[in-house]
Amino acid sequence: MKTIQRLAVAVAASFTLAGSVAAEQIDPATPEGYVQIQRKIQCSLEDESPQVYRWSGRGYARVPGEPDRHLFNLDGMNVRQCVTIEDPERGTGYRMVSREIMLYLDPETNEVLRSFDNPWTGESNEVIHVANDPVNGRPTFGVDAEGEPRAFELNDINGQYLMAVEVPLFYRNPLGGDYQQYIGGTYHATEIFDFNGDTAELLDAGQPVAYPVVSWVRLAQWLPWMEMGDRAGLLYFNAMGRKLESFDQLSDTMKAEIAANYPTFTAPPPVTDKRRNETSWTYMKKIIDKRADAE
């Protein structure tokens, strides 16, 4: 009889545990689940919890009538954090703030490039690495601007989730003149992000951070520091990385550059940051204007 009683207690306990586990799972079909999953991938369910992404890869040039050229290797990082926000119509959401660096490396030695011997112009260009501060996200809610609830489309294969994001870019180039609407001068590019990771980790409401793998592809115009003018051609970048468990997991090269040249990039911007986002173009404009002032 005691054996039967113990078995009954164990069975009841197992059902209780199973119910508890089920209750702690994020439901991707709900607006609340949509927000939680996006937060876990991008940063953390906890407010003001700094997270770091790292990626590495290669950059190529494509010019009509020429073989593609491997111009440089890439080493990038982004440090970020999120904060909960409330909207009277769209409910509870979050906002992400971040800053990021991407270094251009010698394709043979992986040393940080300081100058670039331009094979098309014959000039030696000063390399301006990406140091965008800030790179802040728009507020994210579980309800869209039309008031429709959102759901996270969970694409699960063998316990791994897959998420693809395409970001077409087409906007006024900050380095252009006052007549761009007549003669052109827009920045035209596409950035592609693909995330994947452990589905159980992603849906566990008791675990505030997910650690996905990320791949990144960019198709874009010439970098402004290359001084290529309107020459035909484009650049394409291909890189992979993941969210890190700590800042120390960045490459030694990146940590040395941050210590020497970008000391504020050890932490994200404050969650109250309201500055306009920085891009390679706005950053380069500041450098050009500074050079002009010096001259």
Side-chain angles (χ1 to χ4, degrees), residues 106-138:
D106 185 282
E108 300 295 334
T109 67
N110 265 340
E111 295 179 352
V112 178
L113 283 174
R114 307 300 177 187
S115 62
F116 172 72
D117 293 329
N118 193 316
W120 296 282
T121 66
E123 300 293 331
S124 180
N125 302 121
E126 178 187 358
V127 176
I128 308 299
H129 303 281
V130 174
N132 293 339
D133 178 18
V135 186
N136 297 338
R138 295 179 178 178

Side-chain angles (χ1 to χ4, degrees), residues 212-224:
V213 171
V214 62
S215 64
W216 171 66
V217 172
R218 176 199 278 171
L219 307 174
Q221 298 164 349
W222 301 113
L223 296 169

Side-chain angles (χ1 to χ4, degrees), residues 37-275:
I37 287 175
Q38 293 287 355
R39 277 194 71 154
K40 287 189 69 170
I41 291 174
Q42 296 299 334
C43 42
S44 169
L45 296 180
E46 299 173 344
D47 283 354
E48 300 185 63
S49 173
Q51 304 295 324
V52 180
Y53 268 97
R54 171 190 177 184
W55 63 92
S56 59
R58 292 175 290 276
Y60 296 85
R62 171 164 293 180
V63 173
E66 298 181 10
D68 291 0
R69 297 177 188 248
H70 178 194
L71 297 184
F72 27 71
N73 292 340
L74 311 169
D75 186 7
M77 66 83 68
N78 178 291
V79 59
R80 57 183 60 196
Q81 62 182 348
C82 287
V83 65
T84 301
I85 56 176
E86 299 289 344
D87 183 90
E89 296 182 358
R90 302 177 70 180
T92 301
Y94 74 92
R95 179 173 181 261
M96 184 188 77
V97 294
S98 80
R99 47 173 63 108
E100 67 186 16
I101 294 171
M102 189 170 71
L103 304 174
Y104 300 105
L105 310 179
D106 185 282
E108 300 295 334
T109 67
N110 265 340
E111 295 179 352
V112 178
L113 283 174
R114 307 300 177 187
S115 62
F116 172 72
D117 293 329
N118 193 316
W120 296 282
T121 66
E123 300 293 331
S124 180
N125 302 121
E126 178 187 358
V127 176
I128 308 299
H129 303 281
V130 174
N132 293 339
D133 178 18
V135 186
N136 297 338
R138 295 179 178 178
T140 298
F141 296 97
V143 176
D144 65 22
E146 284 71 41
E148 295 297 322
R150 288 172 164 167
F152 183 82
E153 297 181 6
L154 183 63
N155 183 11
D156 179 277
I157 300 177
N158 296 331
Q160 296 283 307
Y161 64 88
L162 306 175
M163 184 177 79
V165 181
E166 299 82 30
V167 184
L169 299 172
F170 188 78
Y171 57 80
R172 181 184 176 97
N173 192 323
L175 290 178
D178 296 329
Y179 304 96
Q180 288 168 294
Q181 67 192 64
Y182 302 101
I183 64 170
T186 52
Y187 177 61
H188 194 183
T190 299
E191 301 208 10
I192 301 169
F193 301 86
D194 296 313
F195 298 86
N196 79 277
D198 183 80
T199 302
E201 174 190 69
L202 183 67
L203 299 183
D204 183 355
Q207 187 169 341
V209 182
Y211 294 95
V213 171
V214 62
S215 64
W216 171 66
V217 172
R218 176 199 278 171
L219 307 174
Q221 298 164 349
W222 301 113
L223 296 169
W225 54 261
M226 296 174 73
E227 300 181 28
M228 292 289 282
D230 57 0
R231 283 180 169 82
L234 59 83
L235 297 173
Y236 61 92
F237 297 164
N238 183 37
M240 290 193 69
R242 70 176 307 147
K243 190 189 289 182
L244 306 181
E245 294 181 1
S246 73
F247 184 88
D248 289 338
Q249 288 183 298
L250 291 172
S251 70
D252 291 340
T253 298
M254 178 63 74
K255 287 186 287 188
E257 282 294 307
I258 290 174
N261 300 310
Y262 312 100
T264 60
F265 284 73
T266 57
V271 294
T272 55
D273 189 12
K274 301 297 183 182
R275 294 173 296 161

